[in-house]
Amino acid sequence: MSKVKYYYDPESLSYRKIERKKRRTLKYITVFLLASALFGFGFVFIASQYIESPKEKALKRELQNMQLQYDILNKKMSEAEAVLASVAERDNNIYRVYFEANPIPEAQRKAGFGGINRYKNLEGFDNSELIIETNKRLDILQKQIVVQSKSLDEIAALAEEKEKLLAAIPAIQPVSNEDLTRMASGFGMRTDPFTKVRKMHWGMDFTAPRGTPVYASGDGKVVRADSRASGYGKHIRIDHGFGYVSLYAHLYKYNVRKNQKVKRGDLIGFVGSTGRSQGPHLHYEIFKDGKRINPINFYYGSLTAEEFSKLLEHASLENQSLD
């Protein structure tokens, strides 16, 4: 029960009941509600400015984590771009130069993407510019990796071919140094031992005792092992591929047969004096694309600099050949 309040009326010398007017009551209620509302809005405003809600804290942590992940991603992309740039530089200036391949133009390596807007679906967000720029870097990096990958595939194929070429080129002496009596005659104009007339000597003569081993000077396939060529007597021809053919003449006997594959250093025959020959020796020739060339330029695989200089000195003497 609500308390009843009274006041003393001096005129009537009695207590009278205080009657509360409805209008005033309504006014008090309205003022109270407005004050409460203002206080509430003020509190909410201040709280929103200075006090974080659990949801806001969670969103802030998520935003900080995303910023950290972006920084890490950006750093990784920068490192990947630096590594790829280093590989591209070595590719153009070392690998492709060594294997005689044309360098890849810089414009081709770093070309962007033309045509339609590839990033339209990323527009309209708060961080659209950042997202689009990151996607562009990723796309260009991916394209550069594809270009570099294809280039390295090409280099690998060239390296494999180069390895085959290096193994095939006649690069060693066909007779060991310790088995040689002397290097009798070289490539060039020499005196014919039978007619005593100066004529072109198309190979090199290595004097050695009958039966001295003769070795294949490079990888290849035996295409001839017979005595049907005029003047050569028993001889062997090896096709090394890449336009190279080596010839070994005046042999005593064979150690290979036609169509047999041989490796550099394999024993293929023995020194003799068959055919047009004045004594036991090996006549050795090299053909490149069907033309005879000087064999002395191909001994880098078995001679030291001193041995090569000595051999070059003997080969340059215009003496009499042995065939």
Side-chain angles (χ1 to χ4, degrees):
M1 177 182 260
S2 60
K3 293 182 179 180
V4 180
K5 294 185 179 181
Y6 297 89
Y7 72 95
Y8 179 74
D9 185 0
E11 293 182 0
S12 62
L13 301 175
S14 63
Y15 288 95
R16 290 182 179 275
K17 187 177 179 181
I18 298 175
E19 299 289 342
R20 181 175 295 177
K21 295 181 180 180
K22 291 183 178 180
R23 232 167 132 181
R24 183 177 291 178
T25 301
L26 185 61
K27 181 180 178 181
Y28 288 155
I29 293 173
T30 303
V31 170
F32 175 76
L33 290 175
L34 286 173
S36 299
L38 287 173
F39 177 78
F41 282 124
F43 178 78
V44 170
F45 176 77
I46 294 172
S48 65
Q49 294 297 316
Y50 299 101
I51 302 174
E52 292 181 343
S53 67
K55 185 176 181 179
E56 287 176 328
K57 288 182 179 179
L59 289 173
K60 187 176 181 180
R61 284 197 300 270
E62 184 177 350
L63 184 61
Q64 289 174 342
N65 183 57
M66 289 178 64
Q67 181 66 42
L68 176 62
Q69 294 302 320
Y70 171 76
D71 291 340
I72 293 173
L73 176 62
N74 193 54
K75 184 178 179 181
K76 287 182 177 179
M77 281 197 297
S78 297
E79 290 174 351
E81 287 168 344
V83 171
L84 191 58
S86 177
V87 173
E89 183 181 1
R90 292 199 302 271
D91 182 35
N92 270 350
N93 300 323
I94 299 177
Y95 308 143
R96 302 187 73 82
V97 170
Y98 178 77
F99 293 109
E100 300 176 353
N102 293 326
I104 298 176
E106 196 71 12
Q108 182 180 341
R109 288 184 182 275
K110 296 186 176 180
F113 299 89
I116 62 173
N117 185 3
R118 298 166 56 90
Y119 311 103
K120 190 173 182 179
N121 62 319
L122 300 176
E123 295 175 351
F125 300 98
D126 291 340
N127 298 307
S128 289
E129 187 177 345
L130 180 64
I131 296 171
I132 291 172
E133 186 61 30
T134 302
N135 274 270
K136 282 182 179 178
R137 286 183 68 188
L138 282 171
D139 287 341
I140 292 174
L141 187 60
Q142 185 178 19
K143 183 177 180 180
Q144 290 177 358
I145 290 173
V146 171
V147 172
Q148 187 59 60
S149 177
K150 289 181 179 179
S151 176
L152 291 177
D153 287 342
E154 181 185 355
I155 293 299
L158 290 172
E160 185 177 354
E161 194 69 8
K162 193 84 168 183
E163 186 178 2
K164 291 178 182 177
L165 170 63
L166 292 175
I169 290 177
I172 63 171
Q173 280 188 154
V175 180
S176 297
N177 264 2
E178 57 269 20
D179 295 328
L180 293 179
T181 306
R182 63 188 177 94
M183 217 295 294
S185 183
F187 183 92
M189 297 300 295
R190 298 292 184 270
T191 302
D192 185 281
F194 298 99
T195 64
K196 306 302 180 182
V197 175
R198 281 171 54 79
K199 69 174 187 177
M200 185 65 187
H201 186 243
W202 294 106
M204 297 184 72
D205 292 341
F206 296 91
T207 57
R210 184 173 180 267
T212 298
V214 175
Y215 304 101
S217 55
D219 295 1
K221 185 174 80 169
V222 177
V223 291
R224 289 189 67 171
D226 56 59
S227 56
R228 294 194 301 271
S230 176
Y232 286 133
K234 290 183 178 181
H235 77 291
I236 293 170
R237 299 190 196 204
I238 299 175
D239 186 349
H240 302 280
F242 305 95
Y244 290 97
V245 173
S246 58
L247 181 149
Y248 314 78
H250 310 305
L251 300 175
Y252 163 58
K253 64 179 180 178
Y254 312 113
N255 195 53
V256 291
R257 62 185 182 280
K258 185 179 179 181
N259 295 325
Q260 180 178 334
K261 290 184 178 180
V262 295
K263 294 287 186 181
R264 179 181 293 147
D266 284 354
L267 176 63
I268 59 173
F270 301 91
V271 171
S273 187
T274 57
R276 193 174 184 271
S277 171
Q278 271 209 331
H281 76 286
L282 173 71
H283 177 80
Y284 177 64
E285 295 182 12
I286 292 180
F287 297 79
K288 177 67 169 76
D289 298 325
K291 296 181 179 179
R292 294 180 177 98
I293 55 178
N294 195 342
I296 201 165
N297 297 319
F298 293 85
Y299 296 138
Y300 58 83
S302 59
L303 299 179
T304 64
E306 184 180 348
E307 290 171 337
F308 181 78
S309 296
K310 189 175 181 180
L311 180 62
L312 185 62
E313 181 183 349
H314 287 293
S316 61
L317 295 176
E318 292 193 19
N319 53 5
Q320 178 178 289
S321 65
L322 292 176
D323 46 37

